[in-house]
Amino acid sequence: MLLGVNIDHVATLRNARGGFEPDLLKAADICEENGGTSITTHLREDRRHIKDEDVCNLIKTIKTKLNLEMAIADDIQKIALEIKPHSICLVPEKRQEVTTEGGLDVAGQLDRVSEFIKPLLNAGIIVSLFIDPDEEQVKASAKTGAQFIEMHTGAYAGAFGSQNEEDEFLKLKDAAKLAQQLGLKVNAGHGLNYENVHRMHEIPGLYELNIGHSIISRAVFTGLAEAVHKMAELIK
Ligand code: PXP
C-alpha cells in the first residue's frame, strides 16, 4: 500500500505569517525521502493554504507524483490542464467547511462529473473521485470514466474505538470490493492516524492512502525538542 502525504497544513502554517517559512518544497522533499510515494495538495477555491504558485513549484521539483485535490470548478480545471499533475482527486468543496466534509455526490450529478473529468482524462491525468463508501456512489463512479475512487475514511476514523467502528469499517471493505469488481482502483483517506490506520490492511487491494493532518501534527512534537534545543544553544 502506498502513502500519499498531504502537505496542505505546512502551507497553513506558512500562511499564518505570510512569508516563506516553513518551506513547502522542502517539506515535500522530506516526505518523499521518508516513504511518501506521492505528494497531495488541495488547491481550494479560497486558496486558504495551497496557492497557485505552490502547485507550479511542486510540479517542477517533486520526484514522485503530484496528486491535486480539486473541486468541480472551471478555473481549477484550467490550472490542472496547464500543470498536468500525475493525478487529480475530485472533492466536494464548501467555503465554510474546515476540511472536506463528506464525499462527492457522483450519483446525483453523474453527467456533470463525467463531462468535467473528460478533458482531464484526455490530457492523460489520472482521475480519482472522493466518495463515501456507499454502493450507489461506487456504481455511479464506475460509469464516469475515472480510474480511481478514494474512499472517505472520516466516518470510520470518527467511529474508531466505539461501537460503530465495525459498521463503518465494513462499509469501507464492501465499497472497495464492489469498486474493484467494477474495474476501479481504490485509494482511501481522511482522518487516518497512527491508531486507526492499521485496519486499512484488512481491505484487500487498497492502492494508496492519503494522509495529512495526523502526520503534520505528529511532526510538531517529533521536531519540537530539537527546535527548542537548537534555539537555546544559539542564544546561550
Ligand atoms: N483525502 C482527501 C480527498 C482529502 O480532502 C483530505 C483532506 O484534505 C485527505 C485525504 C487527508 O485527510 P487528513 O488531513 O485528515 O489526513
Side-chain angles (χ1 to χ4, degrees):
M1 208 181 313
L2 304 178
L3 171 62
V5 185
N6 183 315
I7 57 171
D8 290 348
H9 292 313
V10 176
T12 302
L13 186 57
R14 177 199 61 191
N15 297 353
R17 275 291 172 96
F20 297 99
E21 219 179 28
D23 182 338
L24 196 71
L25 302 184
K26 192 166 175 188
D29 188 49
I30 292 170
C31 295
E32 293 182 309
E33 288 295 318
N34 290 282
T37 48
S38 63
I39 299 297
T40 295
T41 54
H42 185 172
L43 187 62
R44 294 188 74 101
E45 288 184 78
D46 62 9
R47 308 299 199 270
R48 70 174 71 154
H49 35 56
I50 296 293
K51 314 268 184 210
D52 298 30
E53 57 269 31
D54 291 328
V55 182
C56 294
N57 291 334
L58 281 167
I59 196 87
K60 284 187 215 137
T61 54
I62 65 172
K63 298 183 280 296
T64 57
K65 301 170 291 183
L66 182 67
N67 175 42
L68 185 69
E69 293 176 1
M70 55 184 276
I72 304 180
D74 290 343
D75 60 326
I76 312 275
Q77 185 198 57
K78 192 163 168 266
I79 294 168
L81 288 170
E82 273 164 28
I83 63 151
K84 290 204 175 59
H86 173 80
S87 56
I88 67 101
C89 181
L90 210 57
V91 301
E93 200 175 300
K94 293 190 211 99
R95 262 169 204 267
Q96 288 77 19
E97 68 191 357
V98 176
T99 181
T100 315
E101 295 162 3
L104 186 69
D105 179 15
V106 180
Q109 46 179 348
L110 186 56
D111 291 345
R112 185 170 173 228
V113 171
S114 307
E115 279 307 307
F116 184 81
I117 65 174
K118 225 178 249 171
L120 298 160
L121 290 166
N122 288 342
I125 300 167
I126 291 171
V127 172
S128 177
L129 305 175
F130 187 53
I131 58 167
D132 289 327
D134 170 86
E135 190 179 321
E136 196 192 2
Q137 297 298 341
V138 173
K139 285 183 176 164
S141 298
K143 293 181 189 153
T144 60
Q147 301 98 326
F148 277 80
I149 56 163
E150 178 170 328
M151 298 190 298
H152 195 313
T153 49
Y156 158 73
F160 188 75
S162 80
Q163 273 187 342
N164 294 337
E165 176 185 328
E166 209 50 35
D167 281 356
E168 294 301 338
F169 178 72
L170 287 176
K171 283 184 202 167
L172 293 169
K173 202 170 177 183
D174 291 347
K177 191 173 173 192
L178 176 63
Q180 286 160 352
Q181 284 167 350
L182 296 173
L184 290 161
K185 295 196 188 89
V186 184
N187 295 334
H190 211 284
L192 294 176
N193 63 26
Y194 294 85
E195 280 77 46
N196 64 30
V197 73
H198 66 94
R199 293 206 71 183
M200 295 301 108
H201 268 300
E202 295 173 43
I203 302 176
L206 262 193
Y207 185 78
E208 186 167 62
L209 301 179
N210 279 307
I211 306 181
H213 193 261
S214 63
I215 293 178
I216 305 304
S217 301
R218 187 183 174 99
V220 171
F221 289 121
T222 53
L224 194 57
E226 189 278 335
V228 175
H229 185 74
K230 179 80 183 168
M231 188 58 81
E233 286 286 301
L234 283 173
I235 64 176
K236 225 181 237 173

